[in-house]
Amino acid sequence: MAERFHLVGVGGAGMSAVAELLAARGHEVSGSDQKDSALLAHLRSVGVRTWIGHDPGHVPDGASVVISTAVRESNPELAAARERGLPVLHRSEALARAATGLDLVAVAGAHGKTSTSAALAVALAAAGRDPSYAIGGTVLAYGTGAHLGSGRAFVAEADESDRSFLNYTPRIAVVTNVEPDHLDQYGSAEAYRRAFEEFAARIRPGGLLVACADDAGSLDLAGHVLAAGTRVVTYGRAPAGPDGAEAHVEVATRERGAHLRRVRADGRDEAELVLRVPGAHMLLNAAAAWAAGLELGVGPQDMADGLGTFTGTGRRFEDRGSAAGVRVVDDYAHNPTKVAAAVATAREQAGDGRVLVLFQPHLYSRTQAFAEKFGEALAAADEVVVTDVYPAREEPVPGVDGSLITTAMPGLASGGRARYVADKAAAAGAVADLARDGDVLVTVGAGDVTELGQVILDRLRAREAQ
């Protein structure tokens, strides 16, 4: 039976995906956001009514009001819903409703979950399975992060940042890593680890955990889950997973990709994989997707061939253009491991050129907790400009700004230096002025640093025209 839903902050990547899926299932869907955007235009095209600005009058009678953690209680639409006694759902709860009756594959981890879930969805589609999916980013091949398919599989990116991944009951849970993050939410690395144990405990009876054997936290989780009697398949460059695992997927790097081999007690499956997206970390993400696809019944080489069609997701080492011989790329990386992977990928792509990074830290709490590790990750670049913290949901913390990170970088890869430029527009100009022919320049961060790629390109083109 059709229901009515109203999404507050519907223009966000995760919320827009939920809105599109609910509309595709025949529900009446509306939503609001602070400003218009391409995502809102897309939602209107698929039948979602959208409003610009938040107002109690936007909330329809009888609607379930859907929010994310970013929506504060003071929001007038949420306040109106509370006052009127309307049901209030977290985004993940609404997504779980959209997945009712399907084989849910929930992809979690501190990093890699967007690319892994998107690669899995693309590969399943290429194999003729027409999966449903809800991903917190745009799948470049499709121009959207959501689709309601005709197949049995539903692929969802499961967000641990606000514990909302605990609202899912998956048939398959993929955990790319358990690296402490979001300590503002969890308080300690141990509490963060326990949340992943709770997530894995929600796997349906007879279901499967796919865990990365190269990550200590994920490997520990696999052992915990095995002790509880849940099936486990591991993957990675490590030669084997824990005792008791049903299978292990070995990832052997080749010149143009990787050889995947799933080793089980009763035999093995093998496939050759050639990816179109760069980065050693993407081979591991693809191996996780391959293992999940095999569990869903796709043939080994068919799954690998499908993964070979994947062209990436928005803001995951996404090309923005070139000018004056400088290639400009944008990446969503916002914790130290992700930043290190983005810099390493840029180094692979730069060849004889240099790697320049414009980094915008995300959250005061994360900057304060991991400033030294961010410095270590960025130190592999040739020149680094760090701008001020993107606060998102947080209030400023005295003494915490981007300079904490540059102070942790006394020297860079080839003798360059790190600069703290608080104003983001000035930071964009500074990094553009440092760039020269043959360089790869990456804007990095989960905030609005993504808007600066065009600013940098315009400055480079102006210099080129002189």
Side-chain angles (χ1 to χ4, degrees):
M1 186 177 72
E3 298 181 59
R4 183 175 291 172
F5 294 90
H6 180 78
L7 288 78
V8 183
V10 74
M15 291 288 272
S16 63
V18 174
E20 185 169 356
L21 287 165
L22 290 171
R25 297 210 81 163
H27 298 300
E28 182 181 329
V29 183
S30 64
S32 62
D33 214 310
Q34 291 283 28
K35 60 182 180 180
D36 206 355
S37 65
L39 276 176
L40 289 189
H42 174 71
L43 289 176
R44 288 192 289 269
S45 75
V46 297
V48 176
R49 185 177 188 184
T50 64
W51 303 90
I52 308 304
H54 299 299
D55 187 283
H58 297 161
V59 182
D61 291 336
S64 293
V65 174
V66 182
I67 62 170
S68 70
T69 307
V71 178
R72 299 183 179 183
E73 287 294 325
S74 58
N75 180 283
E77 295 181 9
L78 176 56
R82 301 277 195 212
E83 184 178 336
R84 291 156 58 184
L86 296 176
V88 176
L89 305 175
H90 186 273
R91 175 180 59 84
S92 57
E93 294 175 294
L95 179 58
R97 288 198 188 185
T100 299
L102 300 175
D103 290 332
L104 179 63
V105 184
V107 182
H111 45 89
K113 53 185 175 285
T114 302
S115 295
T116 303
S117 53
L120 174 58
V122 168
L124 290 173
R129 298 302 181 95
D130 191 20
S132 300
Y133 56 85
I135 295 160
T138 300
V139 182
L140 295 180
Y142 304 145
T144 182
H147 171 67
L148 184 66
S150 59
R152 288 283 312 159
F154 191 119
V155 181
E157 179 180 345
D159 185 11
E160 87 287 0
S161 67
D162 55 3
R163 301 179 186 267
S164 61
F165 68 158
L166 300 180
N167 288 323
Y168 301 121
T169 306
R171 173 185 164 185
I172 302 171
V174 177
V175 175
T176 58
N177 43 72
V178 185
E179 181 179 305
D181 198 359
H182 308 293
L183 298 186
D184 58 320
Q185 167 69 237
Y186 290 96
S188 69
E190 176 61 21
Y192 185 82
R193 183 189 64 77
R194 286 198 303 270
F196 275 85
E197 291 180 357
E198 291 180 52
F199 170 65
R202 295 185 61 83
I203 296 171
R204 295 180 196 169
L208 178 73
L209 172 69
V210 177
C212 183
D214 293 357
D215 174 74
S218 186
L219 189 60
D220 285 347
L221 178 67
H224 177 84
V225 165
L226 282 168
T230 300
R231 298 167 54 227
V232 171
V233 169
T234 55
Y235 67 94
R237 295 183 180 88
D243 291 341
E246 184 172 294
H248 177 68
V249 175
E250 300 174 359
V251 183
T253 304
R254 299 283 196 260
E255 183 178 348
R256 296 185 60 244
H259 179 77
L260 303 177
R261 180 171 63 173
R262 183 177 68 163
V263 180
R264 309 184 312 278
D266 60 348
R268 60 184 59 185
D269 301 293
E270 301 184 65
E272 295 295 329
L273 171 67
V274 179
L275 285 179
R276 297 170 64 180
V277 289
H281 60 294
M282 276 304 305
L283 290 177
L284 287 178
N285 294 339
W290 189 73
L294 267 58
E295 173 70 9
L296 292 169
V298 181
Q301 193 58 53
D302 287 343
M303 192 65 197
D305 290 345
L307 289 166
T309 69
F310 178 58
T311 55
T313 58
R315 301 217 58 212
R316 271 65 177 183
F317 212 78
E318 181 182 2
D319 270 302
R320 288 301 172 88
S322 296
V326 179
R327 178 183 174 191
V328 179
V329 179
D330 184 49
D331 199 279
Y332 187 75
H334 55 278
N335 70 28
T337 300
K338 292 178 181 178
V339 171
V343 174
T345 302
R347 180 70 65 197
E348 292 173 10
Q349 298 289 298
D352 295 332
R354 301 179 305 158
V355 173
L356 281 66
V357 176
L358 171 57
F359 179 58
Q360 181 188 51
H362 185 263
L363 298 178
Y364 293 100
S365 59
R366 184 182 284 128
T367 303
Q368 188 172 37
F370 300 115
E372 186 172 337
K373 290 185 177 181
F374 277 124
E376 293 171 1
L378 290 164
D382 296 294
E383 299 282 357
V384 175
V385 176
V386 179
T387 191
D388 215 351
V389 177
Y390 184 82
R393 58 187 178 269
E394 293 185 342
E395 297 298 327
V397 176
V400 177
D401 58 33
S403 68
L404 292 182
I405 296 170
T406 54
T407 301
M409 283 186 287
L412 300 183
S414 58
R417 69 186 182 91
R419 301 161 175 84
Y420 171 56
V421 182
D423 180 78
K424 65 183 182 182
V431 76
D433 290 346
L434 290 168
R436 61 187 187 224
D437 188 14
D439 290 347
V440 173
L441 191 161
V442 192
T443 57
V444 180
D448 57 6
V449 68
T450 184
E451 300 169 0
L452 300 180
Q454 191 58 52
V455 175
I456 292 167
L457 286 166
D458 289 345
R459 193 174 182 106
L460 290 170
R461 288 176 183 130
R463 188 177 78 193
E464 192 175 30
Q466 290 177 353

